[in-house]
Amino acid sequence: MFYGAMVWDPWLIVAQIVCLQCLYYLGLGTFMALLVGTRVPRLTLLYLFDFAILTPRTTTGWCAIASFILAAIAGAGFMLYVIERAKKCLDFAATLYIIHLFICIIYGGWPASVTWWVVNIVGLAIMSLLGEYLCIRRELQDIPVRIRAITRDNGIASKASEPPGEWDDSSSLWDV
């Protein structure tokens, strides 16, 4: 993707939102299975979408909180590959968490727990800031530019004699 003038492509934006949302829930489900699934007899959607699960009063609650934070960190990594632009990370992270809020409202009602709000706001901050940091690091990387050197082949300068991908640094372009 070229980073010049932005083209309005709503299908790309919707596809990125859906992809990021699915990857987030895949990561959240994986962390829930690893951290919470070992403590409960049956892991259900309740642990993903019910606000009452996120409580600091139990070990299972702390494991669920850790799962949400780890999913936010993984989400930042997903944004590096799905979104690719630092200036879009906050928008996509906020969209992800707003959609998560709506799903939680549909599933279990309005989140009345302060812990739920704190965990999700911290998750939003982690995902957007870490995603921006990772995307900025990628955007600021040097673009490798290699010029294949001209080699002498029986006194005749030729570029075509070299196989692609091999570079001869012993002679320069100006040695002809």
Side-chain angles (χ1 to χ4, degrees):
M1 172 182 270
F2 294 107
Y3 296 121
M6 297 303 300
V7 177
W8 172 250
D9 189 3
W11 290 109
L12 175 66
I13 295 169
V14 169
Q16 287 175 324
I17 290 170
V18 169
C19 184
L20 189 63
Q21 197 81 33
C22 291
L23 288 171
Y24 173 76
Y25 284 128
L26 181 70
L28 181 60
T30 302
F31 290 124
M32 283 283 187
L34 294 174
L35 298 176
V36 178
T38 58
R39 304 188 154 280
V40 297
R42 186 168 179 217
L43 191 63
T44 63
L45 289 178
L46 179 78
Y47 292 96
L48 290 151
F49 300 119
D50 192 8
F51 65 89
I53 297 301
L54 295 178
T55 178
R57 295 186 190 120
T58 64
T59 307
T60 304
W62 277 106
C63 290
I65 290 170
S67 296
F68 273 91
I69 299 302
L70 290 172
I73 293 169
F78 296 144
M79 280 201 289
L80 178 64
Y81 295 103
V82 175
I83 310 304
E84 296 180 339
R85 296 296 305 265
K87 69 180 193 174
K88 294 181 179 182
C89 286
L90 177 61
D91 298 336
F92 279 91
T95 302
L96 183 141
Y97 278 94
I98 289 170
I99 292 171
H100 179 69
L101 171 66
F102 288 146
I103 293 171
C104 289
I105 290 170
I106 291 168
Y107 191 81
W110 183 261
S113 169
V114 174
T115 307
W116 187 92
W117 287 99
V118 169
V119 167
N120 281 287
I121 289 172
V122 168
L124 170 63
I126 288 172
M127 185 182 285
S128 63
L129 292 175
L130 184 59
E132 284 181 18
Y133 172 75
L134 293 173
C135 289
I136 285 173
R137 280 192 52 203
R138 176 178 275 179
E139 289 174 4
L140 293 179
Q141 284 180 347
D142 292 335
I143 299 172
V145 177
R146 290 188 171 183
I147 300 173
R148 188 167 27 172
I150 298 174
T151 60
R152 293 183 188 242
D153 211 38
N154 294 332
I156 302 170
S158 72
K159 283 182 169 178
S161 64
E162 295 180 19
E166 292 186 15
W167 308 100
D168 183 17
D169 291 333
S170 62
S171 64
S172 73
L173 188 62
W174 308 110
D175 287 343
V176 176

